[in-house]
Amino acid sequence: MAKAKKSAFFCQNCGHEESKWLGQCPVCKEWNTFVEETVVPVKGGDTLTREAASPVDIHDIPTEGDERTRTNIAEMDRVLGGGLVAGSLILIGGDPGIGKSTLLLQVCQKLAAQGQQVLYISGEESLKQIKLRANRMGKFSGDLKLLSETNLDVIRSVLEKERPQVAVIDSIQTMYNEDIASAPGSVSQVRESTNVLLQLAKGLGITFFIVGHVTKEGAVAGPRVLEHMVDTVLYFEGDRHAAYRILRSAKNRFGSTNEIGVFEMQREGLVEVKNPSEYMLSGKPENASGSVVACAIEGTRPMLMEIQALVCKTSFTMPRRTAAGIDYNRVNLLMAVLEKRLGIPLSSYDAYVNIAGGIRVDEPAADLGIVMALVSSYRNKPLPEDMIAFGEVGLSGEVRAVTLPEQRVAEAKKLGFHTCVIPEVCKKSVGNVDGIKIIGVQNVNQAVDL
Ligand SMILES: Nc1ncnc2c1ncn2[C@@H]1O[C@H](COP(=O)(O)OP(=O)(O)OP(=O)(O)O)[C@@H](O)[C@H]1O
Ligand SMILES: [Mg+2]
Protein backbone atom coordinates (compact mmCIF):
# COMPACT_ATOMS: atom_id res chain seq x y z
CA MET A 1 0.00 0.00 0.00
CA ALA A 2 1.32 3.42 -0.88
CA LYS A 3 2.41 5.43 2.13
CA ALA A 4 0.26 8.51 2.68
CA LYS A 5 2.56 11.44 2.01
CA LYS A 6 2.05 14.49 4.16
CA SER A 7 2.94 17.81 2.74
CA ALA A 8 3.05 21.33 4.06
CA PHE A 9 3.85 24.80 2.76
CA PHE A 10 7.06 26.45 3.90
CA CYS A 11 8.10 30.06 3.59
CA GLN A 12 11.44 29.89 1.75
CA ASN A 13 12.54 33.08 3.42
CA CYS A 14 12.06 32.34 7.12
CA GLY A 15 11.01 28.69 7.27
CA HIS A 16 7.52 29.32 8.65
CA GLU A 17 5.19 26.35 8.10
CA GLU A 18 1.53 26.55 7.06
CA SER A 19 -0.95 23.85 6.09
CA LYS A 20 -2.24 25.87 3.13
CA TRP A 21 -0.69 28.19 0.57
CA LEU A 22 -0.56 31.87 1.45
CA GLY A 23 0.42 34.87 -0.63
CA GLN A 24 2.23 36.63 2.16
CA CYS A 25 4.13 35.04 5.01
CA PRO A 26 2.51 36.13 8.30
CA VAL A 27 5.89 35.98 10.07
CA CYS A 28 8.44 37.67 7.81
CA LYS A 29 5.87 39.54 5.63
CA GLU A 30 7.57 38.46 2.39
CA TRP A 31 5.30 37.88 -0.61
CA ASN A 32 5.09 34.76 -2.71
CA THR A 33 7.56 32.71 -0.73
CA PHE A 34 5.44 29.63 0.07
CA VAL A 35 6.41 26.36 -1.59
CA GLU A 36 4.83 22.98 -1.01
CA GLU A 37 7.24 20.41 0.38
CA THR A 38 6.71 16.83 1.48
CA VAL A 39 7.31 16.27 5.13
CA VAL A 40 9.23 13.11 5.93
CA PRO A 41 8.11 11.20 8.99
CA VAL A 42 10.70 11.53 11.73
CA LYS A 43 12.87 8.46 11.78
CA GLY A 44 13.48 6.65 15.05
CA GLY A 45 16.33 8.26 17.00
CA ASP A 46 19.72 7.47 15.61
CA THR A 47 21.76 4.87 17.44
CA LEU A 48 24.61 7.35 17.63
CA THR A 49 22.63 9.70 19.81
CA ARG A 50 21.20 7.04 22.07
CA GLU A 51 24.16 6.83 24.43
CA ALA A 52 22.64 9.08 27.07
CA ALA A 53 19.32 7.29 27.40
CA SER A 54 19.65 7.23 31.19
CA PRO A 55 20.56 10.33 33.19
CA VAL A 56 24.23 10.67 34.12
CA ASP A 57 25.63 12.31 37.23
CA ILE A 58 27.30 15.60 36.33
CA HIS A 59 30.51 14.56 38.12
CA ASP A 60 30.81 11.39 36.07
CA ILE A 61 30.99 13.09 32.69
CA PRO A 62 34.59 13.05 31.52
CA THR A 63 35.85 16.34 30.10
CA GLU A 64 39.59 15.81 29.85
CA GLY A 65 40.88 15.84 26.32
CA ASP A 66 37.99 18.08 25.37
CA GLU A 67 39.85 21.33 25.55
CA ARG A 68 39.72 23.58 22.54
CA THR A 69 41.74 23.12 19.39
CA ARG A 70 43.27 26.35 18.22
CA THR A 71 43.06 27.05 14.53
CA ASN A 72 46.23 29.16 14.80
CA ILE A 73 44.47 31.98 13.00
CA ALA A 74 44.33 34.36 15.94
CA GLU A 75 41.39 36.39 14.64
CA MET A 76 39.36 33.21 14.07
CA ASP A 77 40.21 31.79 17.50
CA ARG A 78 39.18 35.02 19.14
CA VAL A 79 35.76 34.98 17.49
CA LEU A 80 35.26 31.31 18.34
CA GLY A 81 35.98 32.05 21.98
CA GLY A 82 39.43 30.47 22.13
CA GLY A 83 39.33 27.70 19.55
CA LEU A 84 37.23 24.82 18.26
CA VAL A 85 35.16 22.70 20.61
CA ALA A 86 35.09 19.08 19.42
CA GLY A 87 31.74 17.99 18.04
CA SER A 88 30.37 21.46 17.50
CA LEU A 89 28.60 22.87 14.46
CA ILE A 90 29.78 26.23 13.22
CA LEU A 91 27.69 28.00 10.62
CA ILE A 92 29.37 30.67 8.50
CA GLY A 93 27.14 33.00 6.52
CA GLY A 94 28.12 35.77 4.18
CA ASP A 95 27.46 37.51 0.89
CA PRO A 96 28.42 35.74 -2.33
CA GLY A 97 32.11 36.00 -3.08
CA ILE A 98 33.04 37.53 0.25
CA GLY A 99 35.59 34.79 0.92
CA LYS A 100 33.87 32.06 2.94
CA SER A 101 35.45 29.20 1.02
CA THR A 102 38.82 30.92 1.15
CA LEU A 103 38.64 31.40 4.91
CA LEU A 104 37.61 27.81 5.56
CA LEU A 105 40.26 26.36 3.27
CA GLN A 106 42.82 28.38 5.21
CA VAL A 107 41.43 27.08 8.49
CA CYS A 108 41.75 23.55 7.05
CA GLN A 109 45.32 24.30 6.00
CA LYS A 110 46.26 25.39 9.52
CA LEU A 111 44.44 22.52 11.22
CA ALA A 112 45.97 19.90 8.94
CA ALA A 113 49.42 21.37 9.57
CA GLN A 114 48.83 20.75 13.29
CA GLY A 115 48.19 17.08 12.66
CA GLN A 116 44.38 17.12 12.60
CA GLN A 117 42.52 15.01 10.07
CA VAL A 118 40.48 17.36 7.94
CA LEU A 119 37.91 16.71 5.23
CA TYR A 120 36.70 19.52 2.97
CA ILE A 121 33.43 18.69 1.25
CA SER A 122 32.35 21.03 -1.50
CA GLY A 123 29.07 20.90 -3.32
CA GLU A 124 29.80 24.04 -5.28
CA GLU A 125 33.24 23.60 -6.73
CA SER A 126 35.09 20.77 -8.42
CA LEU A 127 38.24 19.36 -6.87
CA LYS A 128 40.28 21.15 -9.52
CA GLN A 129 38.79 24.52 -8.66
CA ILE A 130 39.53 24.02 -4.98
CA LYS A 131 43.07 23.02 -5.83
CA LEU A 132 43.50 26.20 -7.86
CA ARG A 133 42.53 28.26 -4.84
CA ALA A 134 44.81 26.16 -2.64
CA ASN A 135 47.71 26.85 -5.01
CA ARG A 136 47.38 30.56 -4.31
CA MET A 137 47.55 29.96 -0.56
CA GLY A 138 50.92 28.34 -0.47
CA LYS A 139 52.09 25.14 1.15
CA PHE A 140 49.69 22.51 2.44
CA SER A 141 50.93 19.81 4.76
CA GLY A 142 49.34 17.08 6.83
CA ASP A 143 46.12 15.18 6.38
CA LEU A 144 43.72 17.28 4.31
CA LYS A 145 41.31 15.48 2.01
CA LEU A 146 38.87 16.97 -0.47
CA LEU A 147 35.54 15.64 -1.63
CA SER A 148 33.18 17.07 -4.21
CA GLU A 149 29.75 15.70 -3.37
CA THR A 150 26.20 16.85 -2.67
CA ASN A 151 24.41 13.65 -1.71
CA LEU A 152 24.19 13.51 2.05
CA ASP A 153 23.92 9.74 2.25
CA VAL A 154 27.23 9.43 0.43
CA ILE A 155 28.76 12.13 2.63
CA ARG A 156 27.49 10.37 5.71
CA SER A 157 29.09 7.06 4.78
CA VAL A 158 32.35 8.79 3.83
CA LEU A 159 32.44 10.57 7.18
CA GLU A 160 31.69 7.36 9.06
CA LYS A 161 34.54 5.63 7.23
CA GLU A 162 37.10 8.44 7.32
CA ARG A 163 36.27 9.78 10.79
CA PRO A 164 37.97 13.15 10.34
CA GLN A 165 38.26 15.48 13.32
CA VAL A 166 37.12 18.50 11.36
CA ALA A 167 34.89 18.64 8.29
CA VAL A 168 33.77 21.55 6.14
CA ILE A 169 30.45 21.53 4.30
CA ASP A 170 30.46 24.12 1.51
CA SER A 171 27.53 24.87 1.34
CA ILE A 172 24.48 23.53 3.17
CA GLN A 173 22.18 24.85 0.41
CA THR A 174 23.71 22.49 -2.15
CA MET A 175 23.31 19.35 -0.04
CA TYR A 176 20.35 17.08 -0.56
CA ASN A 177 18.75 14.10 1.04
CA GLU A 178 17.23 11.48 -1.27
CA ASP A 179 14.30 10.86 1.09
CA ILE A 180 13.03 14.38 0.63
CA ALA A 181 11.27 15.33 -2.57
CA SER A 182 11.96 19.06 -2.54
CA ALA A 183 14.90 20.73 -4.26
CA PRO A 184 18.29 21.33 -2.60
CA GLY A 185 18.27 24.62 -0.73
CA SER A 186 14.60 24.36 0.23
CA VAL A 187 13.57 24.61 3.83
CA SER A 188 13.02 20.91 4.45
CA GLN A 189 16.26 19.90 2.67
CA VAL A 190 18.35 22.37 4.65
CA ARG A 191 16.72 21.39 7.91
CA GLU A 192 17.08 17.67 7.31
CA SER A 193 20.69 18.03 6.10
CA THR A 194 21.64 19.97 9.20
CA ASN A 195 19.95 17.35 11.32
CA VAL A 196 22.10 14.63 9.76
CA LEU A 197 25.24 16.69 10.34
CA LEU A 198 24.17 17.36 13.92
CA GLN A 199 23.86 13.65 14.62
CA LEU A 200 27.26 12.99 13.05
CA ALA A 201 28.84 15.82 15.03
CA LYS A 202 27.51 14.71 18.39
CA GLY A 203 27.90 10.99 17.64
CA LEU A 204 31.36 10.89 16.08
CA GLY A 205 32.76 14.05 17.66
CA ILE A 206 33.42 15.69 14.29
CA THR A 207 33.59 19.48 14.29
CA PHE A 208 31.68 20.87 11.33
CA PHE A 209 32.09 24.16 9.58
CA ILE A 210 28.95 24.76 7.53
CA VAL A 211 28.76 27.46 4.90
CA GLY A 212 25.33 29.04 4.56
CA HIS A 213 24.16 31.42 1.88
CA VAL A 214 22.48 34.60 3.01
CA THR A 215 19.21 36.18 1.94
CA LYS A 216 19.08 39.69 0.58
CA GLU A 217 18.49 40.98 4.12
CA GLY A 218 21.75 39.35 5.16
CA ALA A 219 20.45 36.52 7.36
CA VAL A 220 21.40 32.91 6.69
CA ALA A 221 19.00 31.58 4.06
CA GLY A 222 16.67 28.74 4.85
CA PRO A 223 14.87 28.10 8.05
CA ARG A 224 15.55 30.09 11.15
CA VAL A 225 15.80 26.72 12.90
CA LEU A 226 19.19 26.35 11.26
CA GLU A 227 20.53 29.01 13.58
CA HIS A 228 18.98 27.23 16.56
CA MET A 229 20.42 23.86 15.63
CA VAL A 230 24.05 24.87 15.31
CA ASP A 231 26.36 25.85 18.18
CA THR A 232 27.93 28.90 16.63
CA VAL A 233 26.78 31.31 13.95
CA LEU A 234 29.42 33.49 12.36
CA TYR A 235 28.89 36.15 9.74
CA PHE A 236 31.63 37.07 7.35
CA GLU A 237 31.03 40.55 6.08
CA GLY A 238 32.74 43.45 4.46
CA ASP A 239 32.50 46.03 1.78
CA ARG A 240 32.91 44.37 -1.57
CA HIS A 241 34.99 47.32 -2.74
CA ALA A 242 37.30 47.38 0.26
CA ALA A 243 39.79 44.62 0.84
CA TYR A 244 39.13 44.02 4.50
CA ARG A 245 36.59 41.56 5.87
CA ILE A 246 35.09 41.24 9.32
CA LEU A 247 34.17 37.98 10.99
CA ARG A 248 31.46 38.52 13.56
CA SER A 249 29.75 36.02 15.78
CA ALA A 250 25.96 36.21 16.10
CA LYS A 251 25.56 33.21 18.36
CA ASN A 252 28.12 31.22 20.28
CA ARG A 253 27.37 28.48 22.77
CA PHE A 254 31.01 28.40 23.82
CA GLY A 255 32.11 32.00 23.84
CA SER A 256 31.26 35.65 23.78
CA THR A 257 29.40 37.04 20.78
CA ASN A 258 30.85 40.50 20.75
CA GLU A 259 34.29 39.68 19.45
CA ILE A 260 35.22 40.42 15.87
CA GLY A 261 38.04 39.24 13.67
CA VAL A 262 39.47 41.47 10.97
CA PHE A 263 41.02 40.10 7.79
CA GLU A 264 42.29 41.53 4.57
CA MET A 265 41.73 39.80 1.24
CA GLN A 266 44.94 39.42 -0.70
CA ARG A 267 46.09 37.27 -3.55
CA GLU A 268 47.34 34.56 -1.18
CA GLY A 269 44.02 34.50 0.64
CA LEU A 270 42.91 36.18 3.83
CA VAL A 271 45.56 37.83 5.96
CA GLU A 272 44.87 38.76 9.58
CA VAL A 273 44.83 42.44 10.41
CA LYS A 274 46.60 42.68 13.75
CA ASN A 275 45.96 46.34 14.33
CA PRO A 276 42.56 47.30 12.92
CA SER A 277 42.69 50.89 14.20
CA GLU A 278 45.77 51.68 12.15
CA TYR A 279 44.12 50.05 9.19
CA MET A 280 40.88 52.01 9.56
CA LEU A 281 42.71 55.33 9.85
CA SER A 282 44.98 54.84 6.86
CA GLY A 283 44.14 57.42 4.23
CA LYS A 284 42.66 59.94 6.67
CA PRO A 285 42.76 63.38 5.06
CA GLU A 286 44.81 66.10 6.73
CA ASN A 287 43.29 69.42 7.70
CA ALA A 288 39.87 68.61 6.32
CA SER A 289 36.74 69.86 8.02
CA GLY A 290 34.11 67.34 9.05
CA SER A 291 36.55 64.60 9.95
CA VAL A 292 36.83 63.29 13.50
CA VAL A 293 38.43 60.18 14.93
CA ALA A 294 36.19 58.28 17.34
CA CYS A 295 36.72 55.13 19.33
CA ALA A 296 34.29 52.23 19.51
CA ILE A 297 34.69 49.00 21.43
CA GLU A 298 34.28 45.86 19.36
CA GLY A 299 34.13 42.96 21.76
CA THR A 300 37.00 43.57 24.12
CA ARG A 301 38.99 45.56 21.63
CA PRO A 302 38.92 49.31 21.23
CA MET A 303 38.97 50.36 17.62
CA LEU A 304 39.59 53.83 16.27
CA MET A 305 37.70 54.96 13.23
CA GLU A 306 37.25 58.09 11.23
CA ILE A 307 33.83 59.72 11.15
CA GLN A 308 33.23 62.01 8.20
CA ALA A 309 30.42 64.49 7.83
CA LEU A 310 29.50 66.79 5.01
CA VAL A 311 26.95 69.52 5.69
CA CYS A 312 25.92 71.78 2.84
CA LYS A 313 23.07 74.12 1.99
CA THR A 314 20.11 72.23 0.59
CA SER A 315 18.36 72.93 -2.67
CA PHE A 316 15.40 70.72 -1.79
CA THR A 317 12.37 71.39 0.36
CA MET A 318 13.18 68.21 2.28
CA PRO A 319 16.89 68.24 3.12
CA ARG A 320 18.77 65.08 2.18
CA ARG A 321 20.24 62.95 4.93
CA THR A 322 22.39 59.89 4.42
CA ALA A 323 24.24 57.77 6.91
CA ALA A 324 26.68 55.05 5.93
CA GLY A 325 28.06 52.72 8.58
CA ILE A 326 25.88 54.18 11.30
CA ASP A 327 22.21 54.11 12.21
CA TYR A 328 20.32 56.65 10.10
CA ASN A 329 17.85 57.47 12.88
CA ARG A 330 20.67 58.06 15.32
CA VAL A 331 22.15 60.66 12.98
CA ASN A 332 18.75 62.36 12.63
CA LEU A 333 18.40 62.40 16.39
CA LEU A 334 21.83 63.96 16.89
CA MET A 335 21.07 66.60 14.27
CA ALA A 336 17.85 67.45 16.07
CA VAL A 337 19.85 67.84 19.29
CA LEU A 338 22.27 70.19 17.52
CA GLU A 339 19.43 72.21 16.08
CA LYS A 340 17.62 72.59 19.39
CA ARG A 341 20.52 72.93 21.82
CA LEU A 342 23.02 74.86 19.73
CA GLY A 343 20.61 76.66 17.43
CA ILE A 344 22.37 75.43 14.29
CA PRO A 345 19.77 75.61 11.49
CA LEU A 346 20.47 72.12 10.17
CA SER A 347 16.96 71.74 8.76
CA SER A 348 17.99 73.85 5.78
CA TYR A 349 21.16 71.82 5.21
CA ASP A 350 21.82 68.47 3.58
CA ALA A 351 23.94 66.19 5.71
CA TYR A 352 25.94 63.13 4.83
CA VAL A 353 27.63 61.06 7.53
CA ASN A 354 30.01 58.25 6.76
CA ILE A 355 32.28 55.96 8.73
CA ALA A 356 35.39 55.70 6.59
CA GLY A 357 36.53 52.25 5.58
CA GLY A 358 33.05 50.79 5.29
CA ILE A 359 32.84 49.54 8.87
CA ARG A 360 29.58 49.69 10.88
CA VAL A 361 29.31 51.06 14.42
CA ASP A 362 26.29 50.57 16.61
CA GLU A 363 27.78 51.97 19.78
CA PRO A 364 26.43 55.23 21.21
CA ALA A 365 30.01 56.17 22.10
CA ALA A 366 30.39 57.39 18.53
CA ASP A 367 27.75 60.12 19.13
CA LEU A 368 30.17 62.80 20.25
CA GLY A 369 32.35 62.14 17.23
CA ILE A 370 29.37 62.50 14.90
CA VAL A 371 28.27 65.73 16.55
CA MET A 372 31.75 67.23 16.31
CA ALA A 373 32.13 66.14 12.70
CA LEU A 374 28.79 67.73 11.79
CA VAL A 375 29.63 71.01 13.50
CA SER A 376 33.14 71.04 12.03
CA SER A 377 31.73 70.61 8.55
CA TYR A 378 28.98 73.20 9.15
CA ARG A 379 31.51 75.79 10.28
CA ASN A 380 34.06 74.54 7.75
CA LYS A 381 36.71 74.41 10.46
CA PRO A 382 39.06 71.44 10.60
CA LEU A 383 39.61 69.85 14.00
CA PRO A 384 43.08 69.19 15.43
CA GLU A 385 44.81 66.23 13.78
CA ASP A 386 45.86 64.57 17.01
CA MET A 387 42.45 64.52 18.69
CA ILE A 388 39.93 61.77 19.28
CA ALA A 389 36.45 62.09 20.79
CA PHE A 390 34.02 59.64 22.28
CA GLY A 391 30.89 59.87 24.43
CA GLU A 392 27.18 59.26 24.26
CA VAL A 393 25.00 62.28 23.56
CA GLY A 394 21.59 62.48 25.25
CA LEU A 395 18.49 64.29 24.06
CA SER A 396 19.11 67.35 26.19
CA GLY A 397 22.57 67.69 24.74
CA GLU A 398 24.38 66.19 27.71
CA VAL A 399 27.46 64.03 27.14
CA ARG A 400 27.04 60.77 29.01
CA ALA A 401 29.43 58.13 30.25
CA VAL A 402 30.57 55.23 28.08
CA THR A 403 32.08 51.88 29.02
CA LEU A 404 35.82 51.21 29.19
CA PRO A 405 37.09 54.80 28.74
CA GLU A 406 40.61 53.84 29.93
CA GLN A 407 41.03 51.34 27.13
CA ARG A 408 39.87 53.81 24.53
CA VAL A 409 42.34 56.42 25.74
CA ALA A 410 45.12 53.81 25.78
CA GLU A 411 44.36 52.86 22.18
CA ALA A 412 44.48 56.52 21.15
CA LYS A 413 47.83 56.88 22.88
CA LYS A 414 49.15 53.80 21.12
CA LEU A 415 48.36 55.34 17.76
CA GLY A 416 49.99 58.66 18.54
CA PHE A 417 47.05 60.88 19.45
CA HIS A 418 47.62 63.59 22.04
CA THR A 419 44.18 64.92 22.91
CA CYS A 420 41.11 63.01 24.02
CA VAL A 421 37.70 64.64 24.36
CA ILE A 422 35.74 62.43 26.73
CA PRO A 423 32.64 62.69 28.94
CA GLU A 424 33.38 64.67 32.14
CA VAL A 425 32.08 61.77 34.26
CA CYS A 426 34.67 59.42 32.77
CA LYS A 427 37.56 61.74 33.59
CA LYS A 428 38.03 60.33 37.07
CA SER A 429 38.29 56.72 35.99
CA VAL A 430 40.76 57.56 33.24
CA GLY A 431 42.98 59.62 35.55
CA ASN A 432 46.19 61.10 34.22
CA VAL A 433 47.72 59.53 31.16
CA ASP A 434 51.28 60.45 30.19
CA GLY A 435 51.49 62.57 27.07
CA ILE A 436 47.73 62.78 26.60
CA LYS A 437 45.64 65.85 27.26
CA ILE A 438 42.26 64.77 28.55
CA ILE A 439 39.39 67.18 28.08
CA GLY A 440 36.19 66.36 29.92
CA VAL A 441 32.96 67.75 28.49
CA GLN A 442 29.52 67.83 30.11
CA ASN A 443 27.42 68.78 27.12
CA VAL A 444 27.63 69.36 23.39
CA ASN A 445 28.04 73.14 23.86
CA GLN A 446 31.34 72.63 25.64
CA ALA A 447 32.44 70.11 23.05
CA VAL A 448 31.87 72.36 20.05
CA ASP A 449 33.34 75.38 21.83
CA LEU A 450 36.65 73.56 21.75
N1 LIG B 1 43.80 36.03 -7.51
C1 LIG B 1 43.12 36.68 -6.58
N2 LIG B 1 43.63 37.76 -5.99
C2 LIG B 1 42.97 38.43 -5.05
N3 LIG B 1 41.76 38.09 -4.61
C3 LIG B 1 41.19 37.02 -5.15
C4 LIG B 1 41.83 36.25 -6.15
N4 LIG B 1 41.00 35.24 -6.47
C5 LIG B 1 39.90 35.38 -5.72
N5 LIG B 1 40.01 36.44 -4.92
C6 LIG B 1 39.01 36.91 -3.94
O1 LIG B 1 38.32 35.82 -3.41
C7 LIG B 1 36.92 36.09 -3.42
C8 LIG B 1 36.15 34.81 -3.61
O2 LIG B 1 36.37 34.04 -2.46
P1 LIG B 1 35.50 32.75 -2.13
O3 LIG B 1 35.32 31.92 -3.34
O4 LIG B 1 36.14 32.15 -0.93
O5 LIG B 1 34.12 33.40 -1.73
P2 LIG B 1 32.84 32.64 -1.22
O6 LIG B 1 32.30 33.49 -0.10
O7 LIG B 1 33.13 31.24 -0.94
O8 LIG B 1 31.89 32.78 -2.46
P3 LIG B 1 30.59 31.88 -2.82
O9 LIG B 1 29.49 32.42 -1.98
O10 LIG B 1 30.39 32.15 -4.26
O11 LIG B 1 30.96 30.48 -2.52
C9 LIG B 1 36.72 37.03 -4.57
O12 LIG B 1 35.64 37.90 -4.33
C10 LIG B 1 38.01 37.80 -4.60
O13 LIG B 1 37.89 38.96 -3.82
MG1 LIG C 1 32.40 29.45 -1.81
Side-chain angles (χ1 to χ4, degrees), residues 96-102 124 133 136 245 265-267:
I98 202 82
K100 304 178 289 296
S101 309
T102 311
E124 296 187 335
R133 176 178 298 128
R136 279 195 281 129
R245 308 274 186 265
M265 180 64 95
Q266 291 183 355
R267 217 194 83 83

Side-chain angles (χ1 to χ4, degrees), residues 107-120 140-146 162-167:
V107 169
C108 290
Q109 178 185 26
K110 294 276 188 192
L111 286 171
Q114 284 176 53
Q116 300 258 326
Q117 283 138 298
V118 186
L119 179 60
Y120 185 101
F140 276 73
S141 59
D143 192 357
L144 170 61
K145 292 193 178 128
L146 304 179
E162 297 276 333
R163 301 247 172 165
Q165 279 147 315
V166 180

Side-chain angles (χ1 to χ4, degrees), residues 386-401:
D386 64 347
M387 186 196 87
I388 77 154
F390 59 84
E392 180 180 345
V393 174
L395 286 185
S396 51
E398 81 277 20
V399 177
R400 312 171 71 109

